[in-house]
Amino acid sequence: MCVNFTPPTAQQIRQYFGYEVGDDLWRPECWQDYAAPIITRDGLRLASYGFVPKRHLPPGVRLTTMNARAETIGEKPTYKAAWRKCQLCLVPMQAFFEPCYETGKAVRMRIGMAGGEPFAVAGMWREWQEPEGSTSYAFTQITINADEHPLMKRMHKPGDEKRSLVVISRSDYDEWLSFRDPEFARRIIIPFSDDAFVATSGVK
């Protein structure tokens, strides 16, 4: 599962996704509870990485919601209401990071497009009402099984189920955001073409 990625720069958001946005609104790398840009059917907004931000968890509860399994997203209490409402989003990024154990120990791998251009993965968003009365946003990334994926099956510990983010083709951006029936959305929740992506080790 992906827990860390590199969002596009503001210039890349403008160039590749067509949204005007200010500089320095998010960090160069995104981890749980960090703000990152997402694209919804209503446009670009900043949202917190993780469907349930830590500040909204009950005391003593630990819950990781950066990734939602496509197989159960419509059943899990955390996700099912937003899934049924089709609160889908695109999560733009330059690359995401996964551990590879082929050497016998975890090696951090940067996975991005071979040409270096940004791309977008399937996500889902929700609103949160903050104590002072404001509204914030949070998102999760949708994952699928990758046991047979030529690239992603190399990631994670031996014996663990292999999982992968869902890369949405540029030609499908508008369709993904316009779905009103989540079961129709499933038809483009598919493995990405591995020949368009490369995994690079030794990246800090």
Side-chain angles (χ1 to χ4, degrees):
M1 296 193 299
C2 176
V3 299
N4 170 224
F5 67 94
T6 303
T9 64
Q11 176 58 34
Q12 288 174 324
I13 290 288
R14 293 189 285 265
Q15 179 180 353
Y16 289 94
F17 298 95
Y19 291 94
E20 286 300 320
V21 63
D23 296 324
D24 301 321
L25 296 179
W26 54 84
R27 300 182 190 185
E29 284 196 25
C30 186
W31 297 84
Q32 184 176 7
D33 279 359
Y34 286 20
I38 63 170
I39 299 169
T40 73
R41 63 172 62 101
D42 296 319
L44 185 82
R45 57 176 44 132
L46 288 183
S48 178
Y49 185 24
F51 214 56
V52 183
K54 290 180 181 179
R55 65 184 180 278
H56 286 286
L57 288 172
V61 173
R62 298 183 65 183
L63 181 66
T64 300
T65 55
M66 291 173 285
N67 299 275
R69 297 171 65 95
E71 299 88 339
T72 57
I73 196 170
E75 305 163 10
K76 294 293 185 180
T78 301
Y79 305 115
K80 64 181 181 180
W83 175 248
R84 291 170 184 173
K85 293 176 183 176
C86 250
Q87 292 176 193
L88 306 177
C89 67
L90 296 166
V91 184
M93 60 181 66
Q94 299 181 62
F96 59 95
F97 298 91
E98 300 285 7
C100 178
Y101 284 79
E102 291 176 336
T103 64
K105 60 181 181 180
V107 176
R108 189 181 192 225
M109 304 293 284
R110 180 188 188 275
I111 300 169
M113 294 199 73
E117 64 272 27
F119 55 97
V121 305
M124 191 171 65
W125 67 275
R126 64 159 294 173
E127 294 183 353
W128 286 97
Q129 297 303 312
E130 301 298 340
E132 72 277 10
S134 65
T135 300
S136 66
Y137 302 94
F139 70 95
T140 187
Q141 298 166 341
I142 297 173
T143 70
I144 56 175
N145 178 273
D147 285 343
E148 303 302 322
H149 191 276
L151 175 61
M152 297 307 297
K153 71 180 182 181
R154 297 173 50 204
M155 307 300 151
H156 298 288
K157 293 180 179 179
D160 285 358
E161 181 194 6
K162 311 305 180 181
R163 303 293 297 178
S164 173
L165 298 180
V166 177
V167 177
I168 301 295
S169 298
R170 190 172 297 272
S171 60
D172 291 331
Y173 285 178
D174 290 342
E175 185 175 20
W176 174 252
L177 296 176
S178 66
F179 281 121
R180 301 291 179 173
D181 184 330
E183 295 312 308
F184 289 152
R186 287 188 183 278
R187 71 179 186 81
I188 56 176
I189 298 179
I190 59 176
F192 62 82
S193 175
D194 67 290
D195 58 3
F197 284 76
V198 294
T200 307
S201 64
V203 180
K204 295 182 179 181

